[in-house]
Amino acid sequence: VYDDPVAQYSSATCRREVVHHQINRYLSEKHRNKRMRSFLFFGESEDLVGRDFETIYLKLKLLRVLDLGGVRFPCEEGKKSLPEVIGDLIHLRYLGIADTFLSNLPSFISNLRFLQTLDASGNESIRQTIDLRNLTSLRHVIGKFVGELLIGDTVNLQTLRSISSYSWSKLNHEVFINLRDLEIFDSMWVDQRGVSLDLSSFSKLKNLRALTLKVSTFKLSSESEETVRFQTLVELTLRCDIRRLPKDMDVIFPSLESLTLVRLRLEEDPMPALEKLQRLEDLSLTNCSYSEAKMSISAQGFSRLNKLELF
């Protein structure tokens, strides 16, 4: 752990290193550790100074874990950009670039064919097409992907957060057989006209457990008008422009344990539909509006509810 700017520091044989706040000092000392497997930075956001990052990481061919969350990379052509040397770290399993003010991912990401986790959360919307088809070991993809996301053989993918409804409409949903956590949103950066989220696209997601929808509207029925059922879903967050909840919520979401409704403008009492959810333990209505004076819950409703939040 490198966290004392005064103490002498030697890491020639360490396999895992953590830097607290002092990343520019650490890089300026030009440590050489060819045995390093994991490198993590923790601390407040910090601008990288100079090219020391590139000269040091050219030597780390065995690196498996690289977490640079909060590091601000130098600008190229007016935009923050990842150093190209990262594309040479072909054995990476984990790449953390959260909160780095990036608005694009370079094409060399496709070189990291063993990558299992890509965490680009907390950054600006990534609007260009991202090609991840070579990354067949991916398990977790986290960021704000507005442009088209090209994903190939994704049998290992478990987490996809968050992807625009436009991007989701372009994917082959049948390959997401092991997806457990999914977030979809409507983006101001793409033309949403003609793109209506059809929940029948989730019919193949047999292992989905957590779903977040931040969309204007969606359909709960397939083209055959058969209601889609989410047999495995336990956690649901809805932020959308709907006026009433389906009366058969218990049929659609039979396993739901946690439900968060955000900014819904309800015209009907939602409680008769919600109280039938037999496994529901947590319910939150956040910044929702309701045009009537009262909500009513029957004596038999909410048999397992532990937490009710009205904010």
Side-chain angles (χ1 to χ4, degrees):
V1 177
Y2 183 92
D3 60 358
D4 188 339
V6 179
Q8 293 294 316
Y9 180 76
S10 176
S11 63
T13 59
C14 282
R15 292 167 63 91
R16 298 174 181 85
E17 296 191 20
V18 178
V19 175
H20 287 178
H21 302 283
Q22 306 285 335
I23 192 165
N24 281 304
R25 178 183 171 88
Y26 171 88
L27 293 174
S28 68
E29 294 175 2
K30 295 182 170 57
H31 300 282
R32 293 289 184 269
N33 180 2
K34 296 181 180 181
R35 299 166 64 94
M36 195 193 301
R37 300 293 196 276
S38 301
F39 179 86
L40 302 95
F41 169 75
F42 294 112
E44 298 177 2
S45 294
E46 187 172 345
D47 287 306
L48 279 186
V49 178
R51 314 295 293 187
D52 292 325
F53 182 88
E54 298 194 16
T55 58
I56 288 175
Y57 282 88
L58 281 172
K59 307 288 185 180
L60 302 180
K61 300 297 186 182
L62 300 178
L63 203 64
R64 302 290 199 275
V65 174
L66 178 60
D67 191 344
L68 296 170
V71 173
R72 294 196 290 259
F73 299 101
C75 287
E76 293 186 8
E77 300 180 356
K79 293 183 178 181
K80 301 285 186 183
S81 181
L82 284 178
E84 290 191 12
V85 65
I86 291 178
D88 296 328
L89 304 176
I90 59 172
H91 295 291
L92 275 184
R93 267 57 169 183
Y94 181 101
L95 176 60
I97 48 175
D99 303 306
T100 52
F101 296 86
L102 292 173
S103 59
N104 63 81
L105 287 180
S107 58
F108 63 66
I109 288 291
S110 62
N111 296 344
L112 310 177
R113 55 194 181 94
F114 298 113
L115 197 66
Q116 296 178 0
T117 298
L118 173 62
D119 184 0
S121 58
N123 293 312
E124 298 180 30
S125 298
I126 298 172
R127 299 181 219 167
Q128 88 270 31
T129 297
I130 304 297
D131 191 347
L132 303 177
R133 287 175 292 187
N134 290 339
L135 281 56
T136 55
S137 298
L138 272 177
R139 296 181 183 178
H140 310 284
V141 178
I142 307 169
K144 196 165 187 180
F145 302 98
V146 173
E148 194 167 349
L149 199 61
L150 303 179
I151 301 178
D153 184 359
T154 56
V155 294
N156 296 310
L157 194 65
Q158 299 176 20
T159 305
L160 181 56
R161 300 199 312 261
S162 55
I163 181 173
S164 70
S165 50
Y166 166 80
S167 299
W168 177 255
S169 70
K170 297 291 185 180
L171 292 172
N172 175 17
H173 307 125
E174 294 186 0
V175 299
F176 295 101
I177 56 176
N178 287 311
L179 195 64
R180 296 187 174 199
D181 189 346
L182 174 64
E183 179 174 324
I184 300 177
F185 68 100
D186 279 350
S187 172
M188 59 180 289
W189 298 112
V190 293
D191 187 356
Q192 295 290 154
R193 289 176 296 181
V195 180
S196 177
L197 184 63
D198 188 348
L199 294 199
S200 63
S201 63
F202 300 100
S203 60
K204 303 292 183 182
L205 309 182
K206 302 300 185 184
N207 292 298
L208 191 66
R209 295 182 60 81
L211 175 64
T212 299
L213 298 179
K214 300 177 180 178
V215 297
S216 57
T217 187
F218 56 84
K219 296 188 298 182
L220 278 169
S221 299
S222 63
E223 294 179 357
S224 64
E225 296 304 317
E226 181 181 350
T227 300
V228 182
R229 288 171 172 78
F230 295 79
Q231 300 290 346
T232 59
L233 198 69
V234 296
E235 182 179 335
L236 174 64
T237 300
L238 281 180
R239 192 180 79 187
C240 51
D241 186 17
I242 58 175
R243 299 290 194 264
R244 55 185 61 84
L245 295 176
K247 291 181 169 36
D248 54 351
M249 288 280 287
D250 57 323
V251 176
I252 301 170
F253 306 106
S255 303
L256 202 63
E257 296 176 3
S258 177
L259 174 62
T260 302
L261 304 176
V262 184
R263 297 181 185 173
L264 268 61
R265 292 178 290 178
L266 298 166
E267 296 177 350
E268 290 184 359
D269 186 353
M271 294 305 175
L274 297 176
E275 68 175 19
K276 293 187 291 184
L277 293 167
Q278 296 296 315
R279 298 189 181 184
L280 194 67
E281 297 179 1
D282 294 346
L283 173 61
S284 175
L285 277 68
T286 303
N287 292 334
C288 294
S289 64
Y290 174 51
S291 56
E292 300 298 325
K294 182 169 65 173
M295 292 182 181
S296 300
I297 301 172
S298 70
Q300 292 77 33
F302 294 118
S303 59
R304 294 180 61 176
L305 197 68
N306 290 323
K307 173 186 172 184
L308 174 61
E309 182 180 50
L310 304 174
F311 177 76

